[in-house]
Structures are given as C-alpha cells and as structure tokens.
Amino acid sequence: MENYWNKEIECMPREDMKKLQDERLVAQVKHVYENVPYYKKLMDEKGVTPDDIKSTDDLHKLPFLTKADLRDAYPYGLLAMPLSECVRIQSTSGTTGRRVVAFYTQHDVDLWEDCCARAITAAGGTKDDVCQVAYGYGLFTGGPGLNGGSHKVGCLTLPMSSGNTERQIQFMRDLNATILCCTPSYAAYIGETLKEMGLTPDDIKLKAGIFGAEPWTEEMRREIEKSLGIKAYDIYGLTETSGPGVAFECCEQSGMHINEDNFIAEIIDPDTGEVLPEGSKGELVFTSITKEAFPLLRYRTRDICVLSRKKCSCGRTLIKMTKPMGRSDDMLIIRGVNVFPSQIETVLLEQGYAPNYQIEVDRVNNSDTLDVYVEMNEEQFTDTVKGIQDKEKSLTAAIKQILGISPKVHLVSPKTIARSEGKAVRVIDKRKLHD
C-alpha cells in the first residue's frame, strides 16, 4: 500500500490544485511587488502590475529571474521579509564571487521540511524507521532539509553528514539504519566499502535510499540497489527555491512528483523563453508560491527536462518531471558541486597561464573525476620535471580553493591542446548521465 505524508495535497484533483495555485500565485505576486524593490523594477520594466496576474494562466506575463539576478541582488536585494523575521540562511556550493544566499522564515523551514517528509514517506519511511542522513550539513541544503523531513516523519535521525565511510557503515549496522540519504555517488562508494569490509547487504538493515544533488543514471541506480540491497529513490531541489524536496520520486520510479502546492513548474524554450506545451523537452522554470522570505517568481533553473501529467500508479496527481537531461548553460555538477569552466580559467590567468586548457570529466567506479589539462608556454615548458610537478600541485591547490573539490591538473607542452576557429571545446564530459 502506498504511503502518503499529506494525501489530501498529494492526491488532490487537478482542478482543485489549479484553484489553490491561482490563489497563492496572486497573493505571492502582490507580496513580492510590494516588498522587493528589485523585482518591482523588473515588473515595471516589463509593464506588469499585480493586477495583471489573476491566475496561473497569466504566469507568462511575469519576467524571468536568473542566477545572475540573485548575484546582482546579493545579499539582501531579493529579501521579501524583515530580517528580524528570518531564522536561517542556506547557500549554494561551488560558486565564485557573490554566492547565492537564500533566506528562510520559520514558516519557510516548516514547508521545506514538509516537502522532505513527503519524499521520505514516499520511499516507505515511517516513525519506526532509522534515517541516516549522509548529505553535507552547514550551508549546503542537503543535510538540513532531509534532517528536518526525517524529524517530521518521526524517524530516529542519524545526522552523519558525509565522509568517514567505515564509521557510516558501523553506525548503519549498530543502529539498524533503514533509510539512507546522500548523493548517489556516495551511496555507490558506501556499497563498495561495504564489500571491501567483507560485508554484504544482508549485514545491514537498509531498505531504501533517497539520492540527489547530482546527475545519475538508471544503470547507477541498479548498481546501488544491488550493492546495498535497497530501493533507490530520486529527489530534486535547488537552494534558490528551498533545497531538496521540490520534487521526489514515488514507488513507480519513473520521474519525480513536483510539490505543486508550493511550486509552479513551466517548461520553456531556453533560447526564446517561450512556454512549451506539456511533454516538450526544454528548460525547467519554477515559481515559489508559498515562500515568505525569498520567493522567486519564474526562476530559470537551466535544467533541461520534460513535464508529464500521465496518471501515476502511486495515486499522486502531482505533475512529474523527468531526471534533468542536461543544462542550458555550461555549468557542470561534479560530486554535487556546481562547477563553471570560467572559474578554472580565472585561476589559470591569475597564475600566469594562457587560457589554453581543457576540462575532462568522467565517472570511474561511480565517482566523478575532474582532470584539467593546461598548456604551458615555452618558458614554463623548459622547467625541470620536479618544477613542473610543483606547478601542478600549486594549480591543484588554487583550483580546489575555488571549487571546493580537487581536480587532477596536467601541465602539457605548448601547442598540445587543439585550436578551433569556432567556439573552443573547453569541456569534455565523458559521463553517460542521461539516457
């Protein structure tokens, strides 16, 4: 029998959900227009007022928001509530310069945790379960979101954070953890470590895993399910809209249900901004209709996917999104961290290298690898082998400081990296992430 955290919402008839979204959108647009000067200016420039928005049918009239807007408005420019009403901030990972900082009132935190509780319940979680949260904590939304959702469900919560894998397995065994929450690549690594320790899935009590924050394939899902003896569920979210729990997978494992009482989803043509019909592949756009402190209207996620209202065997009527099929910008997600080629280029220029480089990303044994090939000039190339190795170590450290993850830097001889008369091929992503 399917489990629901809030059956009334999750199985709400479409016409009732539409009415709820209409009411919340109208109120949200008014709230944002009156309290966020940055967004009021965008609306005024487009000639739109709150009176023009009478239902979700008018959503297309509103301007888009992008990550650039969030950085331009940093830190308080998009804040819609008095700072005294805010109880938390979370921040994105892996960005340079001005980071994206999201604010939360207690109401916002409660709604976010409610969304995560739906995901845990859909994975079979109840108050009798032990939920091991091995996402990172701190500013990263993964740990705090699933931690709060686990508390709401009533699970015994193990706030492990990531790392120290043998200890993870020890706690998993000693406390009989039944649900694991982490990135899929870390789940795969836990499975490998379990085997290296001479243990099998029969030696642990896990029944389900909730994995997100990075791309993963159906092949990887099957490997994780086999190595840990579980059913693996996908979860989706962005710091900008709250964190994990914007959408979650059910028993059907054929896409993630979007929590439509909190978020309105659209698919647009990434080049023209035109709203595309259901079933079209395009860029995913979200509008937050319940957030108080940091409500984003028509936020462009840059994720490419498809939306579908095809009837789901789980009984939920919430619209589904596919796994993201790629990005409409050049951002890479490596080990759960957002990486832009321009970040690496900035480091190279600061260190005295010409912008002749190539980034190679792969997935080896279910773990992302990041290799950066950097071309030396003639003077640098005449250095000793040890001198070149020292330069590679120095560059590795500088890039790690910016990205938060370690690359493997390869200094190569002059004219090694192929030139192009067109757009330079800066990134080679060998991962088979999307079917």
Side-chain angles (χ1 to χ4, degrees):
M1 183 178 177
E2 183 68 22
N3 293 327
Y4 307 100
W5 174 248
N6 188 332
K7 187 174 183 179
E8 181 184 358
I9 291 291
E10 295 173 56
C11 300
M12 181 177 283
R14 173 62 194 149
E15 56 273 19
D16 293 343
M17 180 61 74
K18 170 87 165 51
K19 183 179 178 182
L20 180 63
Q21 287 184 326
D22 289 345
E23 293 171 354
R24 290 181 171 180
L25 175 64
V26 170
Q28 188 71 292
V29 171
K30 187 174 186 291
H31 170 59
V32 169
Y33 190 82
E34 293 177 350
N35 293 286
V36 184
Y38 188 98
Y39 205 80
K40 180 180 183 299
K41 180 174 180 289
L42 289 181
M43 287 180 64
D44 288 345
E45 287 173 352
K46 198 170 181 185
V48 184
T49 70
D51 291 337
D52 297 317
I53 309 301
K54 304 186 187 314
S55 74
T56 54
D57 297 331
D58 298 317
L59 189 60
H60 68 278
K61 298 177 182 178
L62 293 169
F64 291 114
L65 273 180
T66 67
K67 187 161 283 190
D69 288 307
L70 272 59
R71 292 197 179 109
D72 289 344
Y74 173 92
Y76 300 123
L78 287 170
L79 187 60
M81 292 287 285
L83 202 57
S84 60
E85 296 296 316
C86 299
V87 298
R88 188 190 300 179
I89 66 160
Q90 302 283 169
S91 181
T92 53
S93 59
T95 58
T96 56
R98 293 177 173 179
R99 301 174 68 92
V100 172
V101 175
F103 296 83
Y104 303 72
T105 63
Q106 186 58 53
H107 172 76
D108 295 334
V109 172
D110 289 341
L111 288 180
W112 177 23
E113 292 179 348
D114 188 82
C115 288
C116 290
R118 295 180 193 180
I120 292 170
T121 305
T126 71
K127 64 182 180 62
D128 296 319
D129 281 290
V130 178
C131 186
Q132 184 159 332
V133 183
Y135 283 109
Y137 279 69
L139 289 173
F140 178 57
T141 56
L146 272 302
N147 192 93
S150 176
H151 282 191
K152 282 220 168 189
V153 173
C155 303
L156 174 63
T157 307
L158 308 183
M160 298 293 294
S161 194
S162 56
N164 203 333
T165 307
E166 291 194 5
R167 186 180 67 178
Q168 296 267 3
I169 293 172
Q170 179 189 336
F171 269 77
M172 195 178 289
R173 298 184 71 201
D174 292 348
L175 296 172
N176 294 322
T178 53
I179 299 174
L180 174 65
C181 303
C182 62
T183 63
S185 58
Y186 191 50
Y189 183 66
I190 290 174
E192 292 170 8
T193 306
L194 189 76
K195 185 176 180 180
E196 289 170 0
M197 292 171 67
L199 302 172
T200 72
D202 292 335
D203 294 307
I204 55 177
K205 301 295 184 182
L206 286 183
K207 66 178 184 181
I210 301 172
F211 309 128
E214 65 185 14
W216 55 308
T217 62
E218 288 302 311
E219 289 76 18
M220 189 171 182
R221 187 207 297 266
R222 288 191 287 270
E223 288 180 18
I224 292 171
E225 289 183 334
K226 182 179 178 181
S227 67
L228 294 176
I230 62 173
K231 189 165 184 176
Y233 297 82
D234 210 346
I235 191 169
Y236 178 89
L238 308 110
T239 300
E240 297 92 323
T241 53
S242 68
V246 171
F248 62 93
E249 208 166 39
C250 65
C251 59
E252 196 173 270
Q253 294 177 297
S254 62
M256 292 168 279
H257 290 285
I258 295 170
N259 285 308
E260 292 187 275
D261 54 321
N262 296 306
F263 308 99
I264 300 173
E266 302 172 272
I267 292 292
I268 65 167
D269 182 312
D271 296 321
T272 67
E274 175 191 2
V275 179
L276 300 177
E278 180 191 327
S280 302
K281 184 167 80 170
E283 182 182 337
L284 182 62
V285 174
F286 276 120
T287 293
S288 302
I289 51 175
T290 52
K291 279 201 76 173
E292 294 179 331
F294 201 68
L296 302 187
L297 306 185
R298 302 199 82 198
Y299 180 69
R300 296 186 60 163
T301 68
R302 303 295 181 180
D303 285 327
I304 301 297
C305 73
V306 176
L307 297 179
S308 172
R309 290 200 178 276
K310 181 180 177 182
K311 187 176 181 180
C312 186
S313 62
C314 76
R316 290 178 179 83
T317 54
L318 301 170
I319 197 170
K320 273 184 176 179
M321 60 175 281
T322 62
K323 281 178 177 288
M325 302 170 180
R327 300 278 303 177
S328 66
D329 59 12
D330 64 350
M331 189 181 82
L332 298 163
I333 300 178
I334 304 173
R335 302 173 213 156
V337 173
N338 299 342
V339 175
F340 290 88
S342 57
Q343 295 174 283
I344 294 174
E345 182 170 313
T346 298
V347 174
L348 299 182
L349 293 172
E350 288 176 349
Q351 298 286 326
Y353 294 88
N356 297 321
Y357 66 96
Q358 202 157 62
I359 301 165
E360 187 172 289
V361 186
D362 205 347
R363 182 160 285 174
V364 179
N365 295 327
N366 290 317
S367 180
D368 287 339
T369 62
L370 173 61
D371 289 81
V372 181
Y373 295 86
V374 182
E375 197 173 275
M376 294 180 285
N377 60 34
E378 294 291 346
E379 183 179 348
Q380 292 164 331
F381 185 57
T382 59
D383 207 347
T384 63
V385 172
K386 185 180 185 305
I388 291 174
Q389 290 174 340
D390 289 342
K391 290 179 189 296
E392 287 175 340
K393 289 180 182 178
S394 177
L395 265 181
T396 297
I399 294 173
K400 181 183 179 183
Q401 187 173 6
I402 292 295
L403 301 183
I405 58 175
S406 286
K408 186 171 183 179
V409 173
H410 310 264
L411 290 177
V412 298
S413 57
K415 309 298 181 184
T416 300
I417 296 173
R419 305 301 197 261
S420 173
E421 292 181 2
K423 187 176 181 181
V425 180
R426 295 296 190 201
V427 179
I428 298 175
D429 193 340
K430 295 182 176 181
R431 298 174 295 179
K432 293 183 174 64
L433 301 176
H434 315 293
D435 296 327

